[in-house]
Amino acid sequence: MDLNIFIDGDQGTTGLDLQNRLRGGEFRIRTLPTSLRKDAAARRAALNECDIAILCLPDAAARDAVAMIENPAVRVIDASSAHRTSPGWVYGLPELDAQQGERIASAPRVTNPGCYPTAAVALLRPLTDAGLLPTDYPLVIHAVSGYSGQGRVGAEAHEAAAGGAGAHSLKVYGLALEHKHVAEIEAYGGLAQRPIFVPAYGSYRQGIVLTIGLHARMLPSDASGVRIHECLAERYRDAAHVRVLPMSSAAPMAELDPQVHNGSNDMSLAVAFNERTGQIVLSAVLDNLGKGAAGAAVQNLRLMASAS
């Protein structure tokens, strides 16, 4: 597998983590030296000379990079949110459905999912596909990410303030209800209505816990907590990187650790259900730099390389 991979934006949190995950592996990795990272001619040449370009850039810069590619043989993985719902781009969540891995493998353009949408879509899509969750259900999604989700500059600022008056323990944001990930969750979660999404940053570096509350009285009659759990377990039975945790009324889940999958490309899903109250909570835990970013890019890269 002698493919030439160019990482554009290699010094951000995703780019750095991606290099660590690929170091000593099966690909030839190219990055630009510091003096040429913002040199348009150097970037254009590198983008057109590689087999697969991985863009770890802000949205506007990612769009500029794609516009620079003139070589039709160059394939792209975009880790930004610039093309998440764009026509002609394949959504890079191999677990989306049974055929998505094949679509990614043969795609010229793959858009890496966002960290929060990876969790939300993994929980929602099997349920909307199975008719267990109405597509117009008034969803409220809450998630807490490690502060590295703010990017390298934001992470460095948090760490510089750690222990001082400027350091936060929890920061809720997105309260204008215009978070850029919402359209992605709606599109790939199989929803007909825009969900409310309330994200937050915690005082730990990386890891995400995302929860979605449901009321059984607003679901189809066969959509019990047990049936929802069975649906998720069946959907991900053979998924290498997604695990559905056991559900037991005798030993209900007591807590979730957002850091349990840090450093990996794995994600855990769980269903909690209180039969007396008729309330259900869906949850997902993943590394925002792993399955939520660089880990997913590596997973997609290997699928694309398998078809090269």
Side-chain angles (χ1 to χ4, degrees):
M1 195 182 299
D2 189 29
L3 294 179
N4 180 16
I5 311 301
F6 172 55
I7 302 174
D8 195 3
D10 59 290
Q11 293 302 300
T13 51
T14 299
L16 290 168
D17 195 52
L18 181 61
Q19 291 176 81
N20 288 333
R21 291 170 185 269
L22 293 174
R23 185 171 288 118
E26 64 268 41
F27 303 105
R28 287 184 289 118
I29 306 301
R30 180 184 179 187
T31 60
L32 290 177
T34 303
S35 60
L36 294 178
R37 283 185 193 132
K38 295 185 179 181
D39 185 299
R43 287 182 63 215
R44 185 183 298 274
L47 285 163
N48 283 281
E49 291 167 0
C50 66
D51 295 302
I52 300 177
I54 306 180
L55 311 180
C56 303
L57 301 163
D59 289 4
R63 294 188 186 97
D64 290 343
V66 172
M68 290 180 183
I69 299 174
E70 300 168 341
N71 181 351
V74 173
R75 304 170 75 191
V76 178
I77 298 173
D78 183 7
S80 82
S81 61
H83 299 100
R84 298 264 170 81
T85 58
S86 298
W89 288 76
V90 172
Y91 194 57
L93 183 63
E95 300 85 2
L96 185 67
D97 61 33
Q99 290 76 45
Q100 194 68 2
E102 295 176 6
R103 297 186 191 105
I104 293 167
S106 60
R109 300 285 185 268
V110 172
T111 175
N112 229 43
C115 53
Y116 294 127
T118 294
V121 171
L123 289 167
L124 296 171
R125 182 59 177 268
L127 306 184
T128 55
D129 281 352
L132 295 173
L133 178 68
T135 60
D136 62 350
Y137 189 99
L139 290 168
V140 178
I141 302 169
H142 180 258
V144 181
S145 170
Y147 61 80
S148 60
Q150 300 173 96
R152 181 173 60 84
V153 173
E156 289 174 352
H158 180 94
E159 289 168 353
H168 66 78
S169 56
L170 181 73
K171 180 168 65 177
V172 178
Y173 67 105
L175 295 176
L177 303 180
E178 292 285 357
H179 195 283
K180 64 182 180 180
H181 285 167
V182 174
E184 184 183 346
I185 294 171
E186 181 180 354
Y188 297 107
L191 305 177
Q193 298 290 335
R194 181 182 178 90
I196 291 175
F197 175 53
V198 183
Y201 291 127
S203 61
Y204 57 97
R205 188 172 193 278
Q206 64 196 81
I208 284 177
V209 59
L210 177 144
T211 56
I212 305 172
L214 302 173
H215 295 278
R217 62 182 170 79
M218 299 176 66
L219 301 176
S221 58
D222 61 336
S224 65
V226 171
R227 179 69 188 93
I228 286 173
H229 181 268
E230 289 174 346
C231 178
L232 293 174
E234 177 59 32
R235 181 68 156 250
Y236 299 112
R237 189 177 308 281
D238 299 319
H241 296 288
V242 181
R243 179 191 176 207
V244 179
L245 300 179
M247 185 176 74
S248 170
S249 58
M253 182 177 303
E255 59 186 28
L256 292 166
D257 179 359
Q259 302 177 84
V260 70
H261 290 308
N262 282 3
S264 79
N265 191 47
D266 296 332
M267 174 168 60
S268 292
L269 309 180
V271 179
F273 175 54
N274 186 312
E275 189 169 359
R276 182 185 66 81
T277 64
Q279 294 171 318
I280 300 166
V281 173
L282 313 177
S283 61
V285 174
L286 71 158
D287 182 354
N288 58 293
L289 297 181
K291 185 64 172 163
V298 173
Q299 187 179 0
N300 289 325
L301 174 60
R302 289 185 172 135
L303 284 169
M304 294 168 76
S306 70
S308 297

